[in-house]
């Protein structure tokens, strides 16, 4: 019996939800990727702990997935296991005057709407970012001058031994599109956010403004993983790519968006190989023409 089959049997014995050979293109906003050997959907923290312990003991690669909004999966798929935190990890609640607590599988936009309804400001910038709270913490997601580090208060993390650890904001090691969690083995289980009381209508107006800007400037009509590149010092990736005349550059089904040069989009049938080749072409041209070295923001599952 191979390890994946043994893992599947272990999950079944413990009534933990899983599926074999799940097409990962259906689980990511890029709509690209082959099958996952094992796709696990735990319903509780105890089930997460059981899955982590088995994977660790048997040496089985395990990748944690939320909304798949910043992830590019290989065309061949993922030969390890995917641990998906979804609806069972999406609870959001208020704690006291200025704190909101939520599980890591909660959609970021749902968190923003909840905060607005509660009259708590600070998360407006995140409205429309197509990810989960766990992914936002992991990447220190940001937009329009705001970042998750501005409002993160505590985070819950489970290591492969099943131990729950609470991190304070300074311990999260935030920097631009990075956090300390990128260097750790385990799962973000939830977080609290420290916000500021404000009239709900004022918060809603800001959120609506940010959403309108997204719809006007970003190619939301095509599958993508959001901004493909990190912002270089003292410049913008989209401006540099546009300056080099690369809007519309295409490899297979992948293209640099005509609407926003910072996005690589899937025009239909794009493969992981198409996207990677296009990223490399853009990086090479921008470096040659401007001297700037663009760093990829999109994560490759094969590198994690």
């Amino acid at each position: 019996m191979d390890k994946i089959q043994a893992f599947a049997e272990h999950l079944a014995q413990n009534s933990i939800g899983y599926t074999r050979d799940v097409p990962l293109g259906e689980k990511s906003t890029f709509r690209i990727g082959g099958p996952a050997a094992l796709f696990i959907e735990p319903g509780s923290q105890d089930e997460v702990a059981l899955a982590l312990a088995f994977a660790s003991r048997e040496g089985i690669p395990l990748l944690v997935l939320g909304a798949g909004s910043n992830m590019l999966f290989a065309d061949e798929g993922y030969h390890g296991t995917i641990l998906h935190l979804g609806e069972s990890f999406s609870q959001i609640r208020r704690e006291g005057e200025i704190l909101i607590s939520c599980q890591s599988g909660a959609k970021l936009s749902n968190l923003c709407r909840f905060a607005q309804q509660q009259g708590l400001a600070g998360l407006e910038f995140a409205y429309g970012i197509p990810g989960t709270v766990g992914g936002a913490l992991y990447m220190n997601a940001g937009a329009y001058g705001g970042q998750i580090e501005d409002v993160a208060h505590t985070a819950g993390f489970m290591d492969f031994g099943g131990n729950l650890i609470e991190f304070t904001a300074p311990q999260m090691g935030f920097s631009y599109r990075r956090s300390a969690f990128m260097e750790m083995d385990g799962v973000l289980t939830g977080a609290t956010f420290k916000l500021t009381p404000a009239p709900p209508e004022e918060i809603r107006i800001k959120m609506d403004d940010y959403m309108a800007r997204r719809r006007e400037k970003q190619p939301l009509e095509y599958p993508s993983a959001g901004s493909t590149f990190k912002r270089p010092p003292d410049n913008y990736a989209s401006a540099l790519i546009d300056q080099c005349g690369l809007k519309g550059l295409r490899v297979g089904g992948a293209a640099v968006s005509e609407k926003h040069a910072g996005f690589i989009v899937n025009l239909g049938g794009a493969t992981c190989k198409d996207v990677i080749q296009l990223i490399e072409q853009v990086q090479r041209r921008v470096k040659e023409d401007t001297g700037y070295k663009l760093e990829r923001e999109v994560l490759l599952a094969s590198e994690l």
Side-chain angles (χ1 to χ4, degrees):
M1 183 186 303
D2 66 22
K3 289 184 177 181
I4 295 296
Q5 181 59 33
F7 202 171
E9 293 189 5
H10 176 74
L11 295 169
Q13 289 166 5
N14 288 280
S15 301
I16 301 173
Y18 74 91
T19 312
R20 297 292 303 267
D21 301 319
V22 172
L24 291 170
E26 298 177 0
K27 303 296 182 180
S28 69
T29 58
F30 233 142
R31 297 293 181 260
I32 293 171
L38 194 61
F39 192 86
I40 307 170
E41 297 188 85
S44 68
Q45 288 193 0
D46 287 344
E47 292 185 0
V48 172
L50 284 169
L52 291 179
F54 190 93
S56 177
R57 184 169 66 248
E58 299 298 325
I60 300 172
L62 184 144
L63 178 65
V64 182
L65 182 68
S69 59
N70 196 44
M71 187 78 70
L72 179 59
F73 289 107
D75 302 315
E76 300 77 24
Y78 188 75
H79 301 301
T81 59
I82 302 289
L83 185 72
H84 178 238
L85 299 183
E87 287 300 315
S88 296
F89 290 85
S90 60
Q91 185 181 45
I92 305 171
R93 67 180 185 275
R94 183 167 184 163
E95 290 191 358
E97 290 299 312
I98 58 173
L99 292 181
I100 289 179
S101 173
C102 65
Q103 294 177 295
S104 59
K107 296 290 180 63
L108 201 52
S109 288
N110 289 344
L111 172 62
C112 296
R113 281 191 287 267
F114 181 87
Q116 182 270 328
Q117 292 162 3
Q118 296 293 314
L120 292 173
L123 280 163
E124 294 89 334
F125 73 90
Y127 190 53
I129 295 178
T132 60
V133 168
L137 281 166
Y138 185 84
M139 288 292 296
N140 189 19
Y144 302 112
Q147 298 185 97
I148 285 296
E149 68 174 301
D150 301 333
V151 290
H153 183 58
T154 63
F157 185 85
M158 182 182 288
D159 65 20
F160 273 77
N163 302 302
L164 279 171
I165 307 162
E166 183 174 89
F167 287 78
T168 63
Q171 293 172 324
M172 297 183 207
F174 287 122
S175 59
Y176 179 68
R177 299 298 177 265
R178 291 195 64 81
S179 73
F181 303 114
M182 290 182 163
E183 311 302 326
M184 300 178 189
D185 292 325
V187 179
L188 278 159
T189 58
T192 62
F193 297 92
K194 189 175 183 179
L195 304 173
T196 305
E201 182 62 18
E202 289 184 9
I203 299 171
R204 186 191 63 78
I205 290 171
K206 288 183 181 179
M207 287 169 56
D208 288 347
D209 176 55
Y210 288 142
M211 183 62 78
R213 291 195 221 175
R214 289 179 188 280
R215 289 172 174 156
E216 178 186 357
K217 297 179 180 179
Q218 297 180 6
L220 303 182
E221 65 273 24
Y222 292 108
S224 77
S227 296
T228 307
F229 303 99
K230 295 181 181 180
R231 188 182 68 227
D234 305 317
N235 216 313
Y236 293 92
S238 58
L240 292 168
I241 296 167
D242 194 9
Q243 176 184 328
C244 294
L246 299 178
K247 276 187 174 180
L249 181 66
R250 182 169 177 171
V251 174
V256 176
S257 170
E258 296 273 10
K259 193 173 185 180
H260 190 306
F263 283 61
I264 286 178
V265 295
N266 180 356
L267 297 179
T271 65
C272 179
K273 185 177 179 181
D274 291 341
V275 175
I276 290 174
Q277 287 184 357
L278 184 55
I279 286 172
E280 291 173 348
Q281 285 189 30
V282 170
Q283 287 173 320
R284 184 168 58 252
R285 282 283 303 278
V286 169
K287 177 66 175 175
E288 290 172 353
D289 293 359
T290 72
Y292 280 91
K293 182 179 180 181
L294 293 183
E295 184 180 351
R296 175 170 39 82
E297 182 172 322
V298 175
L299 300 176
L300 299 184
S302 59
E303 296 179 352
L304 300 175

